[in-house]
Amino acid sequence: MERRVAEQLRGALSPLGLEPHAFKVGWYNAVLQPAFHLPYPDDTLAFVVLSTPSMFDKALKPFVNKERLKIIRDPVDQCVSHHLSRVKEKFPDQRVDVMFDYEMLPSRKPKFLAQTAAHVAGAAYYYQRKDVKLDPWGKKKIFGVCIHPKYGGWFAIRGLLLFPDIQVPFLEQPAPVDCVSTEEKRIELLEQFNFHWQDGRYRDIIEVKERYSEEQKAYFATPPAERFRLLGLTQ
């Protein structure tokens, strides 16, 4: 069952530059405090969905051209929401719950922790302070960051698709690729991400196979309120 669902999802999402990765809810809940648990049984099938560099041309620009008059909030969020909602239609006999990376609970906690989901699904390695043996940061707060083995930091985690009626007790957990494997590189990655994230150097901590186009870099470097203009939209 998991294989069939995964194939259908890949068939629907890959042409849009979106990448689904399967995981069990239990893998996610096992590494988090109860306040962050997903409210489903441990064997519930879920997929974390990443956007790859090609999503900008394959999904966002066509979506904006088609839905130009209906875009009232962040175009990327609206584009991803549109396509993941349409994916649900491919499973008329299944309940499919969708969570987006920008959604918050009433407590102001995020609905899910995106980087943890990507790590447990084997999609991208979530490098954190605990991955550095000789910590040089003292009392500074250091945030972790996911690195994809193919795209480095040139990707984003966009949402979850959960299938509450599909239980997959025998699904095997894939390990994420540890592509930043030396202590020196991990320190460099976390330094760049925490203290120089604006210049984007952390994204190229490994040799990447694909990165954002210059147009896409300019789009994401622009303050959100001004991005509408870049896409030819009025706010």
Side-chain angles (χ1 to χ4, degrees):
M1 176 62 98
E2 176 273 328
R3 199 165 290 162
R4 194 164 80 242
V5 172
E7 283 172 6
Q8 280 184 269
L9 284 180
R10 277 195 293 272
L13 296 176
S14 295
L16 301 167
L18 297 170
E19 203 176 83
H21 294 264
F23 69 98
K24 286 203 303 189
V25 165
W27 302 345
Y28 174 91
N29 287 350
V31 296
L32 292 170
Q33 296 168 341
F36 291 103
H37 284 186
L38 294 171
Y40 300 86
D42 281 353
D43 288 334
T44 304
L45 177 63
F47 291 82
V48 62
V49 179
L50 314 183
S51 63
T52 72
S54 65
M55 187 273 284
F56 193 79
D57 285 322
K58 288 180 175 176
L60 180 64
K61 284 164 49 173
F63 172 78
V64 167
N65 287 336
K66 188 162 176 260
E67 307 288 337
R68 189 171 292 278
L69 298 177
K70 300 181 196 167
I71 294 178
I72 53 171
R73 54 185 171 85
D74 183 273
V76 173
D77 289 348
Q78 211 166 323
C79 171
V80 172
S81 171
H82 168 80
H83 286 299
L84 293 192
S85 298
R86 285 192 66 187
V87 160
K88 287 173 67 170
E89 297 165 14
K90 296 191 177 296
F91 302 95
D93 302 326
Q94 297 290 347
R95 178 179 148 203
V96 186
D97 294 345
V98 185
M99 294 181 189
F100 298 103
D101 65 303
Y102 52 82
E103 288 186 300
M104 295 285 184
L105 295 166
S107 64
R108 302 306 297 158
K109 285 192 178 85
K111 274 199 172 179
F112 74 100
L113 298 183
Q115 302 202 102
T116 300
H119 186 93
V120 300
Y125 200 107
Y126 184 22
Y127 290 98
Q128 301 175 74
R129 188 174 195 155
K130 64 183 175 62
D131 295 308
V132 172
K133 294 187 183 71
L134 298 171
D135 183 324
W137 298 296
K139 293 185 177 172
K140 287 180 185 167
K141 186 158 182 62
I142 298 295
F143 295 96
V145 60
C146 271
I147 295 295
H148 190 287
K150 182 177 177 185
Y151 307 118
W154 300 102
F155 77 103
I157 303 156
R158 297 295 179 186
L160 295 186
L161 294 166
L162 297 118
F163 292 78
D165 302 327
I166 303 179
Q167 302 296 300
V168 284
F170 303 113
L171 188 64
E172 289 188 20
Q173 185 169 11
V177 178
D178 180 6
C179 47
V180 186
S181 52
T182 69
E183 178 92 348
E184 293 75 21
K185 276 287 183 189
R186 289 178 181 184
I187 290 172
E188 183 185 339
L189 169 65
L190 293 174
E191 288 267 343
Q192 288 181 359
F193 179 69
N194 280 273
F195 307 123
H196 309 285
W197 61 269
Q198 294 97 328
D199 63 24
R201 281 181 298 150
Y202 79 89
R203 298 179 188 272
D204 285 311
I205 194 72
I206 61 168
E207 195 169 317
V208 299
K209 304 233 173 10
E210 196 180 338
R211 58 171 59 84
Y212 292 174
S213 64
E214 291 306 315
E215 180 186 15
Q216 190 171 178
K217 285 182 199 171
Y219 177 82
F220 287 115
T222 300
E226 295 168 32
R227 291 176 184 171
F228 285 79
R229 186 174 45 77
L230 286 184
L231 293 172
L233 300 167
T234 52
Q235 203 171 348

